[in-house]
Amino acid sequence: MIIRHLALRQGRRALTSQPIRRWTRFFASQVDTVEASLQTTLGEIRKVEAFVNSRSDHPVSPVDADPSSTPDNDASPEENLSNLGSEITPHYQPHTLLTNPPSPSDITLELLLASGAHLGHNTSLWNPGNAKYIHGIRDGVHILSLETTAAHLRRACKIVTEVARRGGLILFVGTRAGQDRCVVKAAELAGGCHLFDRWTPGSITNGQQILGNCRMKVVDELDREIPDFEEQLLDRSVLKPDLVVCLNPLENYVLLHECGLNNIPTIGIIDTNADPTWVTYPIPANDDSLRCVQVIAGVLGRAGEAGNKMRLEAASQGEVTYQPAQGLKMPAEKKDGEGQASSGSAPVSELGFLQTLM
C-alpha cells in the first residue's frame, strides 16, 4: 500500500510539473521535422525527373500525379510492374549450338573462352607433344593457348570447305555420351556421314567384308540420283571417306590408325593428354567440354555447308569441281511409248559417287 500511494503521489507531481502543452509542442516539432525531410526528398526527385525529361524523348510522369488520371489504373498488378527492373540479354543459350551453329567467321577468342576450350588436364597427365599448344599452368592444370586453337580451327575449316567443294565424302565421328546430336547436325550441314556409336575395327582396311552390303548410288553434278546403275555398282569396292573429323581421338585410335594406313587425312580435337601426331590436322582444345565440342563440330559443319554451296553454284553454271567416277558405262537406252530412244542418265563425265551408310 505504501509503494502504490508513493507512485500515485509522484505521478501527480510529474503531471503537474510537465504541462500537456509541452508534450503537444514536442510532437508537433517532430512532425514538422519529418514533413520538412519529405519536402526535401520530393524536391530532389522532381529535379531528377526534370533532368531525365530534358535528356530523353519519353518524359517521366511526375511523382505527385493523380494515379486515378493515368490510363493504366485499371490494369492488373502484373502489367503495372512489367516495365520495372533492368533487361538482361541472355548470353548463352545451349540449344542454339545445335539449331544454329556458329560459322567459321564467328570464331573469336571470347567464344572459345566461354566454351571452356582453354582448359586442359592435370600437369601429371600431359603429353610432351602438346608443349607448343600450352600457354601456362593454373592450379596444377594446363591452360591451352586460345590463339593457337583459333588458328588451327580456322585451318581445319578451310580444309573441310575445300573437300566439300570438290565433292569429297566427309565422315564425322564422336562416340562419347552427349556428342551424338552435334555430330549428326554437323554431318547434315556438310552433306557427309556420321558415326556416334562404336567404331567397328576393319571398316576401312577390310571394308568390303564389313560394309559390302551398304547401298551406293550415282548422282549428277547437282546431287540428283541417276537410276539404272545398280548392276554396275555390285562389283565395285565400297567407298572410303576422303576426310575424317574425330571429336574424341583417345577412344578412336583404331579408326585413326586405319585412316593412316589408307592415307586418309584426319582432323581431331587434341587435349593436353593426347598425342597430336595421331591426326593430320590437330585442333588443340578441351575434348571433355560438351559445349566446346559442339562449337567445333558446328563450325566445321558450317564450313562443309559453305563448300557444298560453292560446288552447287559452280555446277549450275556448267563447271564440275570434282573428278567424275571412272569405269562406268551408260545404261542401255530405253524406248518410250512413242518409239523414241531416251536415256535416263547424264553423260558419264558428269557422274559422281555418294554412299549411304545403312
Side-chain angles (χ1 to χ4, degrees):
M1 295 296 292
I2 297 175
I3 297 175
R4 183 168 63 249
H5 289 303
L6 179 61
L8 291 175
R9 188 181 302 112
Q10 296 296 331
R12 293 191 189 96
R13 291 180 180 178
L15 290 176
T16 55
S17 62
Q18 299 290 338
I20 297 178
R21 57 177 170 272
R22 288 188 179 181
W23 293 98
T24 304
R25 189 181 302 109
F26 173 76
F27 287 115
S29 62
Q30 296 294 328
V31 172
D32 294 339
T33 303
V34 173
E35 184 178 359
S37 66
L38 291 178
Q39 291 294 337
T40 304
T41 305
L42 184 60
E44 294 177 356
I45 293 176
R46 288 176 178 174
K47 291 181 181 179
V48 173
E49 291 177 355
F51 176 77
V52 173
N53 292 333
S54 63
R55 292 301 184 93
S56 62
D57 298 334
H58 303 283
V60 180
S61 59
V63 177
D64 54 353
D66 186 9
S68 61
S69 61
T70 58
D72 297 333
N73 188 32
D74 298 335
S76 61
E78 292 79 5
E79 296 178 356
N80 292 331
L81 300 177
S82 60
N83 296 328
L84 298 179
S86 59
E87 296 182 358
I88 301 177
T89 304
H91 296 281
Y92 172 50
Q93 298 178 354
H95 63 277
T96 57
L97 294 178
L98 297 174
T99 59
N100 188 22
S103 60
S105 60
D106 297 331
I107 300 175
T108 58
L109 300 184
E110 291 80 7
L111 177 62
L112 297 176
L113 180 65
S115 62
H118 61 290
L119 298 176
H121 284 270
N122 193 280
T123 55
S124 61
L125 302 177
W126 81 306
N127 190 297
N130 292 315
K132 55 185 176 181
Y133 306 139
I134 296 176
H135 175 72
I137 300 175
R138 176 80 175 186
D139 294 335
V141 176
H142 276 131
I143 304 300
L144 293 169
S145 175
L146 292 181
E147 296 179 354
T148 306
T149 302
H152 284 69
L153 183 56
R154 293 190 183 98
R155 181 183 66 172
C157 291
K158 293 182 180 180
I159 295 170
V160 174
T161 301
E162 189 64 21
V163 171
R165 189 184 71 85
R166 294 179 176 271
L169 184 62
I170 305 175
L171 174 62
F172 290 85
V173 179
T175 58
R176 287 187 181 178
Q179 296 181 356
D180 49 354
R181 298 180 62 186
C182 63
V183 169
V184 173
K185 183 64 177 180
E188 291 178 355
L189 293 175
C193 303
H194 61 268
L195 175 68
F196 53 82
D197 203 350
R198 187 182 71 88
W199 171 259
T200 303
S203 297
I204 295 179
T205 55
N206 194 20
Q208 194 64 32
Q209 297 295 328
I210 299 177
L211 303 176
N213 296 326
C214 293
R215 177 179 174 268
M216 288 188 293
K217 60 182 179 181
V218 179
V219 298
D220 59 4
E221 69 277 5
L222 297 177
D223 291 348
R224 295 174 300 190
E225 183 177 0
I226 303 175
D228 302 333
F229 278 92
E230 288 77 7
E231 295 181 358
Q232 301 183 36
L233 299 178
L234 295 177
D235 299 334
R236 297 184 69 94
S237 59
V238 296
L239 294 179
K240 297 178 182 179
D242 299 291
L243 177 66
V244 175
V245 178
C246 185
L247 303 180
N248 53 333
L250 289 178
E251 290 82 0
N252 295 283
Y253 173 75
V254 177
L255 165 63
L256 300 176
H257 181 66
E258 294 182 14
C259 292
L261 295 177
N262 291 269
N263 297 324
I264 299 176
T266 56
I267 298 175
I269 301 178
I270 299 299
D271 209 334
T272 57
N273 62 337
D275 190 356
T277 60
W278 288 0
V279 296
T280 311
Y281 303 101
I283 301 176
N286 183 11
D287 61 349
D288 297 316
S289 173
L290 183 58
R291 182 178 177 183
C292 176
V293 172
Q294 290 177 350
V295 168
I296 294 177
V299 169
L300 296 179
R302 288 293 188 187
E305 183 184 25
N308 287 328
K309 184 178 179 181
M310 296 167 58
R311 176 174 58 84
L312 294 177
E313 289 179 355
S316 62
Q317 299 177 0
E319 179 185 356
V320 179
T321 59
Y322 59 89
Q323 183 179 2
Q326 303 296 328
L328 291 180
K329 297 181 180 180
M330 296 298 298
E333 295 183 352
K334 298 181 180 180
K335 294 184 179 181
D336 53 12
E338 299 178 357
Q340 298 178 355
S342 62
S343 176
S345 61
V348 180
S349 61
E350 299 179 356
L351 295 181
F353 259 137
L354 285 180
Q355 181 182 23
T356 303
L357 300 181
M358 304 300 291

